[in-house]
Amino acid sequence: MPNNALRAAVPAVSTRRCASVARRILLLAALLFAGGFAQGQQPAVSPFDYGLREAQSDTARYTALLRAHNAAISAGVDVDYTGIDSIYIEVPQGAPTIPLTRHNDFKGCTFFVLNREKDNVLFGMTQPTPRIALDKALVDQGDFGGMEALNKGWMLLILYDRHPWVAQRIGYGYPFERRDVLLLHDGKAVNSVVASYNTDSTALEAYFCKVDTIRKTIENITIVRDKRCTYKSYCFNIIGQDNVLLRNISITTPKSRLTADGAIIAQNATRIALEDVTIDGTYSAPQKYGYGVSMNNVWGASFTRLKADGKWGVFGTNNMSGTLLRECDVNRFDIHCYGRDARFIGCTFRGKQTQFSSMYGTVVFDSCLFADCIPVRIRASYNAYTPFDIVMRNCSFDATRRHHALVNVMLLDTALNARPELAEKCWPNLRVENLTVNILSGPRRLDLYEPTGTLSECSKPVAYISKVQVDTLAMLRKGKPAEATLHVFSHPVATKGIVEQAVDNISGVAKVEFGIPKEQ
């Protein structure tokens, strides 16, 4: 349907006019009564005051929103979307990002977005991060009290290691650099880095910015990307921020040839929270990437009741630590490379996997469902197998012909990584407590570890793994004991040390195969 026909069929701006006028009158009255104007305060900015109602095209409406948000930023106030039910906008030529204020309540407005100009970010909450000279010996200590630029108030300290963590990602041809972000209060770090920076192989480059800890909000908005889009509009981009909540947000993306999506992006930030967010589709394909959530260098990211799906996978993240997912329903979670500590509570994973590389600390799954997916995959393309532990507690696994292993360790590249920190190939320890395995199809077996490398690669001794423990496991087929085989390792592997293997309180298991001698 041509754009002008669409405009004739649907109002370009759907409003609640009477309610809008009444609410604005009440707001003005309240401010006057409270003496707000006398104290120099200003009311929130309305897009109606910047030409939204008079706009004659979708691009003009985009410009009206941009003007309103810029005016609000200049005045130090927020934008009031009262009275706007829905709005059609088109990205104009050379359009900048619409800046977000501290509190962004879109009042349930639905944005229909058309982009035929260039890839752009629709809404952004960003700030510059100037460079600062920093002694890398201070980083591990987390005490920057002797630095005047960092020892007052709340700061973000953003760390880049310019000596590649991975010289070349296998199959992709580009290097990977690790990053960390520290939240400072009066010069003292609240969190810590994933791995030490006080090493000969680290080439530190540091940046900083001032933040406040008052929660910023982005909420009550629906974004529908038009099927006629020929370029991508990334919905939200958050850079250099602390304590931002995205709540009650819905993003819908139609079938498209576009790929390489990042519907919600966060970089160099701390304590970013998503609550009650729905992502229905992404610009991606089964063999071409695109993400609903794209994050790089975020500490303390949390996701509550995120429901999301995409052809490639929902999450694409790097350099993440202290991540929490609670009551989410997604097809994939991953930390591509470099992370520490992740916790999943009451989540459902469908059809794909959670995957990690260069992970440290502990990955905990508590009361989760794995539905025809790989519960944990250690990806090979970064050749970065670092020590961490996996805990699965009170979980259920719907095993199928293609997915019947808890931990899949992908191709073990036998070449040594140039970074000394990654020289050893480490496998994670595993603790399973009260797991129910429903064998839906395929072989009656469960593999705790499933290496997918060649026999030659699996003959190279791996490090760190020292304990595999199962306490209470039931294997069922159509609700009855499956009488299946439990394989600790799907086929023999070599380890540098003795691996303690304990399997207790199991049912529906006819036989346990350990894969490596218990005394190796």
Side-chain angles (χ1 to χ4, degrees), residues 44 49 69 160 172 193 206 212 232 248 272 274 287 307 310 339 370 398 425 438-439 443 480 490:
D49 295 333
H69 278 256
Y160 290 71
Y172 293 82
V193 295
D212 62 58
K232 299 184 292 289
N248 193 22
I272 306 300
L274 276 66
Q287 302 302 321
K307 184 175 178 60
F370 305 99
D398 290 347
K425 312 294 187 186
N438 299 298
I439 300 179
K480 297 180 181 180
S490 62

Side-chain angles (χ1 to χ4, degrees), residues 12 17 36 79 164 183 223 269 310 322 328 330 352 370 416 419 470 494 503-504:
R17 296 186 181 183
V79 179
L183 177 63
I223 296 176
C328 296
V330 297
K352 294 188 180 292
F370 305 99
L416 292 179
R419 291 288 301 228
V470 176
V503 178
D504 300 300

Side-chain angles (χ1 to χ4, degrees), residues 285-334:
Q287 302 302 321
K288 294 183 178 180
Y289 82 93
Y291 305 109
V293 177
S294 178
M295 292 189 173
N296 193 350
N297 200 23
V298 178
W299 170 71
S302 65
F303 306 85
T304 303
R305 294 179 299 278
L306 169 67
K307 184 175 178 60
D309 194 17
K311 291 180 181 178
W312 176 261
V314 173
F315 280 89
T317 74
N318 288 285
N319 302 305
M320 303 286 290
S321 60
T323 305
L324 171 66
L325 275 72
R326 187 188 298 271
E327 299 174 26
C328 296
D329 190 330
V330 297
N331 66 351
R332 161 177 158 164
F333 175 86
D334 79 20

Side-chain angles (χ1 to χ4, degrees), residues 150-219:
L150 300 176
N151 63 11
K152 294 180 179 63
W154 291 93
M155 299 277 181
L156 292 187
L157 181 59
I158 301 158
L159 309 171
Y160 290 71
D161 184 353
R162 294 306 190 186
H163 182 187
W165 193 245
V166 175
Q168 180 172 314
R169 186 181 177 191
I170 301 168
Y172 293 82
Y174 58 79
F176 171 81
E177 293 182 351
R178 65 165 171 159
R179 301 185 201 175
D180 279 273
V181 58
L182 296 177
L183 177 63
L184 310 184
H185 183 227
D186 292 340
K188 301 293 179 64
V190 174
N191 58 312
S192 58
V193 295
V194 170
S196 175
Y197 275 68
N198 193 22
T199 68
D200 292 339
S201 54
T202 298
L204 177 62
E205 193 173 288
Y207 300 82
F208 76 106
C209 61
K210 186 175 181 62
V211 295
D212 62 58
T213 57
I214 299 173
R215 170 160 279 186
K216 279 70 69 179
T217 54
I218 306 167
E219 59 185 342

Side-chain angles (χ1 to χ4, degrees), residues 432 448 468-473 486-488 500-507 509 511-514 518:
V432 176
L448 299 187
V468 182
Q469 185 172 3
V470 176
D471 184 359
T472 309
L473 181 150
L486 173 64
H487 297 257
V488 177
E500 179 184 346
Q501 302 168 70
V503 178
D504 300 300
N505 302 318
I506 58 177
S507 62
V509 177
K511 186 179 182 181
V512 177
E513 296 281 357
F514 287 98
K518 296 180 68 174

Side-chain angles (χ1 to χ4, degrees), residues 250-270:
S250 176
I251 300 170
T252 299
T253 303
K255 292 181 180 179
S256 172
R257 293 182 180 181
L258 296 173
T259 59
D261 201 1
I264 298 174
I265 301 170
Q267 304 176 62
N268 299 336
T270 56

